[in-house]
């Protein structure tokens, strides 16, 4: 095998590949990337046995062939080469050589025959969304994915259909995020699937290089999801579990409505929570007529308080929230107004946007 390509053409697909590969692996060959050259160009592929990735691009193929090399070392070598460099990769048995300008690397290889076959079977449900739509489904919800492995069914984003909408939900038991887009053609057969956290992050990283209106092809079965954009395909196993009935935790009778500037509120929360060594400590919100007082107290590092103007004309309420959770929500809203609906100091808050009726967030209160 012998190919010639440029750094820029090789680096981007390698960055996608090395995100899938686990650096520490009990099966040595799973730390490798498969490089295959043929008349169609060069393909790079890898798997961790849960997620597969395949990426193809054009290059000068002098001799076809295939080889596997350690993914993270290969990526680091290419990343550190001079921008605009021409790269020659050659394998004649033994080791693979990479030559660029006056640099030469000899990389150990493992047999391609020992690498697991990537499953490219057809999946029954097929539809398309734009990059912008897929970004919305992921970005508005991924921060609420649970990190606790014991509740594995919360370790991803739940995708399902309802009332001609494709809905994405994530929760860790302390907060919940939900958003939706119009149901794409072909997605009406979805019963509900849970896409794992790692797959979510790799898909999001992949699509950020494309325009908002580019099309993403999505295929689903009961156990797998496949996402294809341009010449890259990511296939992942789905989480085999039942997502809880999240509708039960969305407040229905929160009548104390607060309207405030999201950016002003976010900056205020960030300032008062500076006294905490981490952002997981609670901030007390005290509401009175058209006024919000924020307070943070730590026996070790002091206290902070700040007041901001709001639109509110109901009874006084004092309630505490995890400051990091508040900042996670405000980061998804950005500028503009935020609507917070409260019931009392011990009940969940419902946060929404006046100009986005498809998205909502639920936060459980904390004792302060």
């Amino acid at each position: 095998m012998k190919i010639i390509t440029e750094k820029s053409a090789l680096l981007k697909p390698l960055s996608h590949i090395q995100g899938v590969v686990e650096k520490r692996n009990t099966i040595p060959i799973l730390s490798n990337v498969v490089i295959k050259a043929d008349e169609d160009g060069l393909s790079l592929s890898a798997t961790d046995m849960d997620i597969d990735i395949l990426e193809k691009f054009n290059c000068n193929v002098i001799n076809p062939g295939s080889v596997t090399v350690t993914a993270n070392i290969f990526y680091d070598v290419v990343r550190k080469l001079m921008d605009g460099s021409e790269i020659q990769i050659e394998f004649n048995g033994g080791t693979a050589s990479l030559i660029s300008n006056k640099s030469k690397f000899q990389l150990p290889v493992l047999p391609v025959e020992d690498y697991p076959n990537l499953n490219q079977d057809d999946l029954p449900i097929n539809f398309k969304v734009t990059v912008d739509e897929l970004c919305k489904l992921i970005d508005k919800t991924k921060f609420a994915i649970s990190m606790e492995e014991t509740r594995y069914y919360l370790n991803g984003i739940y995708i399902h259909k309802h009332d001609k909408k494709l809905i994405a939900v994530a929760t860790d038991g302390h907060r919940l995020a939900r958003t939706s887009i119009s149901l794409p053609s072909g997605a009406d057969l979805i019963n509900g699937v849970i896409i794992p956290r790692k797959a979510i992050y790799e898909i999001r990283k992949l699509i950020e290089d494309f325009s908002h209106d580019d099309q993403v092809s999505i295929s689903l079965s009961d156990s797998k999801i496949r996402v294809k954009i341009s010449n890259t395909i990511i296939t992942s196993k789905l989480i085999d579990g039942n997502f809880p009935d999240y509708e039960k935790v969305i407040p229905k009778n929160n009548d104390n409505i607060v309207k405030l500037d999201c950016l002003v509120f976010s900056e205020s929360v960030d300032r008062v929570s500076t006294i905490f060594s981490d952002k997981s400590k609670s901030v007390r919100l005290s509401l009175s007529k058209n006024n919000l007082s924020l307070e943070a107290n730590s026996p070790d590092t002091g206290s902070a308080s700040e007041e901001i103007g709001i639109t509110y004309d109901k009874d006084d309420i004092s309630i505490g929230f995890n400051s990091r959770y508040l900042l996670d929500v405000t980061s998804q809203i950005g500028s503009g107004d935020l609507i917070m609906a409260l019931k009392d100091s011990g009940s969940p808050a419902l946060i929404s946007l006046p100009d986005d009726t498809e998205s909502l967030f639920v936060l459980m209160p904390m004792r302060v």
Side-chain angles (χ1 to χ4, degrees):
M1 184 191 85
K2 185 176 181 180
I3 65 104
I4 297 174
T5 185
E6 289 190 357
K7 174 185 174 178
S8 58
L10 187 58
L11 186 60
K12 188 177 289 186
L14 271 179
S15 70
H16 300 149
I17 292 284
Q18 67 98 29
V20 168
V21 174
E22 296 288 348
K23 291 182 175 61
R24 296 179 180 178
N25 232 306
T26 53
I27 306 174
I29 201 163
L30 293 184
S31 297
N32 283 22
V33 54
V34 178
I35 307 168
K36 183 179 180 182
D38 56 27
E39 64 275 7
D40 296 325
L42 192 71
S43 69
L44 302 175
S45 59
T47 183
D48 67 356
M49 302 307 288
D50 289 323
I51 305 175
D52 306 339
I53 183 167
L54 172 65
E55 189 147 355
K56 299 179 180 180
F57 60 97
N58 294 322
C59 73
N60 182 9
V61 177
I62 298 171
N63 294 316
S66 58
V67 67
T68 82
V69 297
T70 307
N72 66 310
I73 294 177
F74 187 30
Y75 170 71
D76 284 340
V77 167
V78 174
R79 179 174 59 85
K80 293 178 180 180
L81 295 174
M82 293 176 59
D83 290 342
S85 296
E86 184 178 86
I87 299 172
Q88 176 183 298
I89 300 172
E90 188 171 4
F91 173 64
N92 290 314
T95 61
S97 65
L98 186 152
I99 301 171
S100 179
N101 297 319
K102 295 183 179 181
S103 301
K104 183 174 182 179
F105 301 86
Q106 295 294 135
L107 303 177
V109 304
L110 288 172
V112 174
E113 297 77 21
D114 293 348
Y115 205 88
N117 290 324
L118 303 190
N119 191 333
Q120 296 298 321
D121 293 344
D122 290 339
L123 304 181
I125 301 172
N126 298 276
F127 58 94
K128 292 183 179 182
V129 296
T130 64
V131 167
D132 193 50
E133 289 173 324
L134 187 53
C135 284
K136 178 184 178 183
L137 293 175
I138 293 174
D139 291 346
K140 296 285 188 184
T141 56
K142 68 178 181 180
F143 68 88
I145 295 174
S146 176
M147 305 297 285
E148 296 180 19
E149 299 300 329
T150 52
R151 294 194 289 177
Y152 66 93
Y153 48 85
L154 299 182
N155 295 157
I157 295 178
Y158 178 54
I159 303 290
H160 64 295
K161 70 175 191 301
H162 181 70
D163 286 345
K164 298 184 179 179
K165 298 287 184 183
L166 188 64
I167 301 172
V169 184
T171 182
D172 60 5
H174 305 288
R175 53 192 171 161
L176 180 145
R178 187 187 75 181
T179 194
S180 66
I181 60 172
S182 296
L183 189 67
S185 175
D188 50 309
L189 296 178
I190 293 178
N191 291 321
V193 297
I194 308 172
I195 306 171
R197 179 176 59 245
K198 182 177 178 179
I200 290 292
Y201 283 108
E202 293 307 319
I203 291 167
R204 183 63 182 86
K205 186 169 69 174
L206 171 64
I207 62 177
E208 69 184 4
D209 296 327
F210 294 88
S211 300
H212 291 304
D213 55 356
D214 284 342
Q215 294 286 310
V216 183
S217 298
I218 299 177
S219 302
L220 283 168
S221 69
D222 290 337
S223 59
K224 288 186 178 180
I225 180 171
R226 181 171 297 133
V227 174
K228 181 179 186 299
I229 184 167
S230 187
N231 294 317
T232 305
I233 302 172
I234 291 179
T235 306
S236 172
K237 292 180 180 178
L238 298 171
I239 293 176
D240 183 13
N242 296 317
F243 201 80
D245 184 2
Y246 67 88
E247 290 285 352
K248 291 181 179 179
V249 303
I250 298 176
K252 302 294 191 293
N253 299 306
N254 286 16
D255 299 324
N256 297 304
I257 309 299
V258 187
K259 184 178 181 181
L260 45 81
D261 184 293
C262 181
L263 188 58
V264 171
F265 178 59
S266 177
E267 291 174 347
S268 184
V269 171
D270 193 33
R271 276 192 294 271
V272 299
S273 61
T274 303
I275 65 164
F276 299 135
S277 56
D278 62 70
K279 290 288 196 293
S280 64
K281 302 296 177 61
S282 63
V283 171
R284 181 191 294 275
L285 308 183
S286 298
L287 292 90
S288 56
K289 185 173 183 180
N290 295 331
N291 185 74
L292 173 61
S293 173
L294 298 92
E295 299 174 51
N297 290 282
S298 169
D300 300 320
T301 52
S303 62
S305 64
E306 186 169 327
E307 293 186 0
I308 60 174
I310 59 174
T311 303
Y312 181 70
D313 61 359
K314 295 294 184 69
D315 295 338
D316 292 0
I317 293 178
S318 182
I319 188 170
F321 292 108
N322 182 306
S323 58
R324 181 166 59 87
Y325 292 175
L326 285 171
L327 293 173
D328 283 343
V329 170
T330 57
S331 69
Q332 296 309 316
I333 297 173
S335 58
D337 288 333
L338 172 155
I339 304 297
M340 184 181 293
L342 303 169
K343 184 177 182 181
D344 53 47
S345 60
S347 300
L350 179 64
I351 300 174
S352 59
L353 297 78
D355 57 351
D356 182 3
T357 58
E358 307 296 339
S359 302
L360 62 81
F361 310 95
V362 179
L363 288 183
M364 298 297 292
M366 290 180 68
R367 290 183 179 180
V368 182

